[in-house]
Amino acid sequence: MRNFSIKIYIPLTLAVFMVLGNACMKDFLDIKREKTQVVPVYLRDYQALLDDGLMNLYYPYLLGEIGSDDYFITEEQWRGLSNPVHQNAYVWADDVYQGERGEDWNRGYEKILYSNFVLEGVNSVKETSTNKQLRDELMGAAHFYRGTQFFLLTQLFCKQYDKATANEDLGLPLRTSSNINLSYQRSTLGETYRQIVADLDKATVLLPNHMSVNTRPWRAAAYAMLANVYLQMGDYQSAHNKADKSLNLASYILNYNDLDVGVNLPFPRNGEGNKEVIFYSQMDNAPILNVTRLNIDSVLYDTFSNDDLRKQAFFRFNENAGINTFKGHYSGTTAFMFSGLTTAEMLLVRMECSARLGYVDNAIADLNLLRFHRFAKDYFEPVSIDGIAENEVLETVLSERRKELIFRGRRWHDLKRLNQDPNQAQSLLRIFGSEVYTLTANSPKWVWPIPPDVITQGNYIQNER
Amino acid sequence: MKKYILLFIGLCVTVQLCAQLSGRVYSDDTKEPLVGATLNLIRTEFSTVTDGSGSFKIPFVTIPDTLLVHYTGYIVQIIPLDDTPTDLDIYLKTENTVIDEVVVNTGYQSLPRERATGSFTKIDNDLFNRSVSMDLISRLEGVTSGLSYELPRTLGGVPSSTPNLRIRGLSTIRGETEPLIVVDNFPYEGDLNNINPNDVESITILKDAASASIWGARAGNGVIVITTKGGTSSRRPTINFNTNISLTERPDLFYDRRFLPPSEAVELEREFFSRGLYGKEDWDANTPALEILIALDEGNIDAATANNMLDGLKRYDLRKEAGSHLYRQGLNQQYAINISGGSDNYQYYLSSGLDNNASNLIGNGYERISLSAKNDLQPIKKLNISTSINFIKSKMMNNGISILNLAGTNPYIYMRLADENGDALPIVKNNRFTYIDKALEIGLLDWHYRPLEELKMNDNITKSQEIRVNTSARYNLRQGFNAEVHYQYQSIGNSTRVHHVTESYFTRNEINRFTQADGSRPVPLGGVLDRSGNTFTSHYGRAQIDYNGAWEGRHEINALAGFELRHEQNISDGSSRIFGYDDQVLTYISDMNFNSNFPIRPRLISSRIPNGTSPGRQFVDRFVSYYANFAYSWDTKYTLSGSVRWDASNIFGVDFNNKGVPLWSLGGAWSISEEPFFISNWVDHAKLRVTYGSNGNAVRSISALPFISYGFTNSISRLPSARIGSVGNPDLSWEQVNTVNLAIDFSILNRRVFGSLELYNKQSKNLIGEDLIDPTTGIIGLGNGYNIDNQWNYADLRAHGIDVDVSTLNIDKAAKWETNMLFSYVTNKVTNYFAEPNTPIIRFLGDSSIPVVEGNSIDQLYAIPWHGLDGGGSPLVSVDGELGNDYNSYFSNLRREDLLRVGTSMPPYFGSIRNTFTWRSISASFNLMWKGGHWFRRESIVYNWLFGPSRLTHVDYLTRWQNPGDELVTSVPSMPERTDLRRDQAYMFSEALVERGDHIRLQDVNISYQLPQKITRNIGVSQVRLYGYARNLGIIWKHTDLDIDPDVRALYPQPLQIAFGLQIQL
């Protein structure tokens, strides 16, 4: 009897359990754990990723901005900094990181992962006549972001582009897949720039002709970014061409006469309603670049004419410190520095290229166009072609660029490219009492080292220092 | 009944021998008759109870038969009836808990301790009720071996009362460390405070693999099984009433060493002033002392007046002010009543409880009502249907203002809350008085913050409601075989409502900040109402078949197999805020402008109105489990047990769900004292147990699929957005804990000494840990603003330890003296972990999230060497073998190898000694608890914080280096001219500030008195017990000489609590 029971009941029970279990188990378990966690499938999921603030924040400019000469800090302020990376970057120390992470590298490659994730995802969504527009826009935006990040990282971690050596100089690891199991070694600088140009070229084709919000890239932004890339490469013809195309799509220049330049923050928050902004992005906030420490060198300050409204709009006299500090953030907050693209910047690119290519009239015209919008209405006097020697045009244009693009992350890029020209090259100095730190124009320290954790994990070749 | 009579007649006819039996049942102790004792005849299944005089009568007895006599609280007496008895006088012996047969409950089955191979701790009803508390978990402290009960450090905050429980140390690195809690056979996911302790019958703690592995992928941290009370078939209803009142002292606000005496604090502000550390804008908030110094500096008052005013401030001490205006003596009241009873085919248990707590922070309190009904029904033979319904409603008032809520987290110590007449005074909060005083003139609302007025207006209430319904049916298929099904539904709803009335500072401040230059108010007049809530629902189902059988008198088998489905859903409603709210007519202002930036006072920086709204979240957890368990005993000497369980879940990855291996255990027990060769005069019983097996720990925070998370908002465009949460991990699995347990149970000297000794080794593998990935992949790990998960199953951890549990009956006469001793040792070591090589060294010296290092304990505490102070009062550090003050190069050259591994922050040794004295019906017990072998880092003065925005002081400031030579007597550095965090760190991270944590405390005292039955019978009740209980009685001995409680890293230690209670049984 007992044997019978065991023989019958146990298999019977097990059979019942198995049938019940397997039939419903897959459906029962095939459920997301968290509702806001979504396995991305639809285009709207990818749009939501590209709409995230991460794609507009933490642009990798910090090392360059900290290391350049828009500002200076006192020794006491410097000693009070808690982040050793910022301290070291300020004096271009040999060991920049002291074991800490490199936020520029991490933030740049994080956006590249997003771009790759979106490109792969959108590619797997079949194109239909109804989704083509959105699909193109998302692909275009992903290419824009990837190209832009590669470009910005190149400025920090690679040598200045030189056509002659570009195919030997070290570029970036060109990570173009979200698969973390794939490994990419450093490419040549030439390959890196070809990737940047290819990405941005695709973006100019795919992106729409109109801006919806200033945090989403559109065609004018892609042309503007491309213009910046060509300018950095020294390809002035192409840079002129792209800047011109961008200006054809977006040409509004903000007239500072319409602003109350005296207030603490003259520009609207987040570039809201500032039609000069083609694309909005900002840098990470670093205590070293906090408003209390942004001391402006009096030489730079004095280059602004008193009739130039930028002088009032950009600077504020800090009575406690007895020095001028910066307040002209296009972000509308002192917490973050704007690093996005503006029509005024495109004018500057176009005028510089015109000057370099010998179209002096065009350069002067663009210069006057910009100045008209920057100078006090009653005091604006156009620069006359007759009043300026031809060889001074470039210098005037570059000086205008220096003034307009202060604290936009452009200074490091400009210093790097201008250092190639012996007439423009300059060394930077940091002076703490008797101690003087120098960054000479031909120093290898214009290339920041790759963060140590990246080198250890990825086995990349480190930059010389 | 008719059926029985017929049966008896039939039996009488066939067996011939039948007779009538009568007699009385007495208590052996008191010799008093027992009313309502149950008598059962085993063969004829006849039963009856004694009447009011303790007499009984059985009409037909067939010989032979066996008579069983039961009475609650007494040992069952078995009387064989071999010849015709006449009158029987039966004396029942009182149940001695010490020698009671222990039945342990795993949540799937109940089994006698004798047949268990695994490691259990059973807290029976008496031990559980020794403590008086509103909650259940605090009653486990100090009575459970291997259970460490640590209140989390709140670093100067209000002490937490929710402990971190660890059963036998750690078995995970990044996963959940809390044990699984099971209430009435199913996991309990609600707030444990929702369980009325008066309904709890017993608690069983499952510690090793064999006991816990039946819980599979959730059992890795051990399991606490709570069994609630049920009905009895005693026929006569038993009514139990229990009430107690407990008083909590006012907290000792002078405990926290961060506050300086007011006189010193005021003097220190001169230093702040001379260093220019005060707000210079006309709205910047400054302390009253600084305002006086500013006025002096600006020539508005003369030096004599200023000094007078400063001396005036020194008279006040916030700790005293707060002690009388913000704190009070707490009062907790508890009332519980239950009725149980039943018949042979129906048993019931009904209970209700009411708790009303007034916290020692004025304005805070808690109320709970709990109702439960449990019914067991046997409608036909072989079928038992059981249902229970529990309903709990609670309300938490959170209106108190703690000393830490006053101004930042670091109030100025000479703050006054009320004037001489007791009227509320304003305190300096966000803005300067001179700025605020202008508010009314320029059309703003009054902008002062008066804590005592706020205390009256605060309206912050969290309500909770829980319903738990259990249904089960058990059917006896045929001899030994039973099938059962269980279903449980649980629903918990919590909602919080915070109403900031128009007059409250919060509302006035929001309105004023946003009031525009033209007087318009983007934040309208009227109250602000914040609401949030969450709901939890679960459905659990189980089908199980079991077999219990014995044959040939030697073999015994218990086996069960079953499967289980679990579905849990947790919905958080997020939060919502409405403005311009009128609580009288429930109207609010709907056309708010949340999108524009407004210049806000005082700085006129632009900001949007914080809309206080968030979308909420929703989680679903599902489990499918199959399990089986068996135990075989031979001749009661040898027992072999085993279990196997397989879990699948929507948490685990697809690959793992498909291929996952089951969790299992094997165990054996040998009652060596039963062997014929075992001859001993002094050993009564000895049993060896060995088990091995594996449990799991499901880490719910990690996802198997690539996913993106919605719920973000682009701070610039305000577009809703999503972020990548994980690039996917199809191999995600549970963490696995393999445990070996070796144990001996013993009883010697006629059961005067008994207990157990257990040794265990827990090898955890497949643990979740951060992987080291090249950041170029875009995966940087969680935290610091990065969101993409880099955690996988790979790490290993080992924990091993000893649990000793010894009880002695020292005196066993009219007076009794019993001692229970617990001793536990546990330690852990990380055996495989990818430690980040570039981890900043400072993180090892921090207070939380200390990096995990392979080869060290997870609880490792590090410090840097201390070389004393130099002649100028600065800490010395060693750079290239030379002592000096170059802190920057010291810290930049500091390597992980240079750190001192001081010890662990969790006690490796802990235990308790409980002595119970009983004389007649008075009993008293004292529990001493001790912890040892661990270290802690104490706080001290950090000048960078002192002169930083927090102005954090510390009494060590008073013993700082001040004059040459002080370096011989103090290790507190001098006050530097310029603050240097590195200089502070050379002191605060050094071994000078690490202290041994060893201590012994008198945990609690319980005294109870049971009224003699003579008296109780006269008043018509069967039992009356009066009891007193005191807890948090303080430290008896500690290793450190400082006035610090090593367990308390909070604003104040848990205050003394004294309770009085009364229990009546009808």
Side-chain angles (χ1 to χ4, degrees), chain B residues 169-188:
Chain B
L170 273 189
S171 53
T172 181
I173 297 173
R174 295 280 173 243
E176 293 154 47
T177 56
E178 294 285 298
L180 174 70
I181 309 260
V182 173
V183 175
D184 288 340
N185 304 331
F186 283 110
Y188 186 80

Side-chain angles (χ1 to χ4, degrees), chain A residues 5-216:
Chain A
S5 314
I6 293 168
K7 269 184 189 155
I8 296 298
Y9 279 108
I10 290 177
L12 187 71
T13 322
L14 286 177
V16 168
F17 288 174
M18 287 304 177
V19 169
L20 272 174
N22 279 332
C24 64
M25 197 190 89
K26 204 182 165 313
D27 287 343
F28 185 74
L29 295 180
D30 199 9
I31 184 164
K32 281 189 321 222
R33 200 181 106 74
E34 201 200 324
K35 202 162 191 179
T36 54
Q37 291 186 351
V38 173
V39 180
V41 179
Y42 305 107
L43 288 181
R44 63 157 192 270
D45 296 328
Y46 297 106
Q47 175 139 47
L49 284 178
L50 292 184
D51 273 341
D52 193 77
L54 283 178
M55 305 311 286
N56 304 102
L57 310 177
Y58 311 115
Y59 268 55
Y61 284 103
L62 275 189
L63 285 175
E65 196 56 47
I66 291 169
S68 55
D69 60 351
D70 280 345
Y71 73 113
F72 70 93
I73 61 172
T74 64
E75 184 178 1
E76 189 185 356
Q77 288 171 328
W78 183 76
R79 292 209 182 277
L81 293 171
S82 59
N83 188 329
V85 181
H86 298 170
Q87 269 185 335
N88 296 331
Y90 185 73
V91 296
W92 318 289
D94 288 340
D95 181 5
V96 174
Y97 299 100
Q98 286 189 277
E100 305 262 347
R101 308 203 289 198
E103 293 301 320
D104 283 315
W105 185 277
N106 293 356
R107 287 301 184 186
Y109 273 103
E110 185 182 37
K111 291 179 187 59
I112 291 165
L113 171 66
Y114 270 68
S115 309
N116 290 328
F117 194 85
V118 170
L119 279 173
E120 290 156 14
V122 172
N123 243 327
S124 68
V125 177
K126 204 167 171 277
E127 185 181 304
T128 63
S129 55
T130 48
N131 76 7
K132 180 172 183 351
Q133 201 184 347
L134 179 58
R135 198 171 173 275
D136 281 356
E137 183 179 343
L138 294 175
M139 296 267 256
H143 279 296
F144 170 83
Y145 286 121
R146 191 169 72 185
T148 302
Q149 296 307 315
F150 278 138
F151 174 66
L152 298 179
L153 291 169
T154 304
Q155 302 321 306
L156 298 177
F157 300 104
C158 303
K159 284 186 187 165
Q160 168 56 24
Y161 183 82
D162 182 341
K163 213 173 177 180
T165 58
N167 287 331
E168 286 106 58
D169 290 339
L170 282 170
L172 294 171
L174 293 176
R175 195 160 262 286
T176 46
S177 160
S178 73
N179 184 341
I180 61 162
N181 295 318
L182 296 179
S183 122
Y184 294 82
Q185 278 307 311
R186 291 185 71 172
S187 60
T188 67
L189 193 57
E191 284 165 345
T192 300
Y193 270 91
R194 279 193 287 282
Q195 177 68 42
I196 295 166
V197 169
D199 270 330
L200 293 171
D201 267 338
K202 275 187 196 135
T204 61
V205 175
L206 293 165
L207 285 171
N209 253 339
H210 298 282
M211 181 202 276
S212 48
V213 287
N214 69 15
T215 51
R216 286 183 184 168

Side-chain angles (χ1 to χ4, degrees), chain A residues 253-261 266-267 274 276 308-311 313-314 328 330 344 370 372-376 404 408:
Chain A
I253 311 284
L254 190 63
N255 193 330
Y256 281 21
N257 286 293
D258 302 338
L259 301 172
D260 181 359
V261 290
F267 302 101
N274 183 348
E276 200 176 284
D308 189 342
L309 291 174
R310 282 177 296 199
K311 197 166 188 171
F314 285 3
Y330 265 32
L370 179 62
F372 173 78
H373 291 88
R374 295 294 185 255
F375 275 65
E404 172 71 21
R408 299 274 185 86

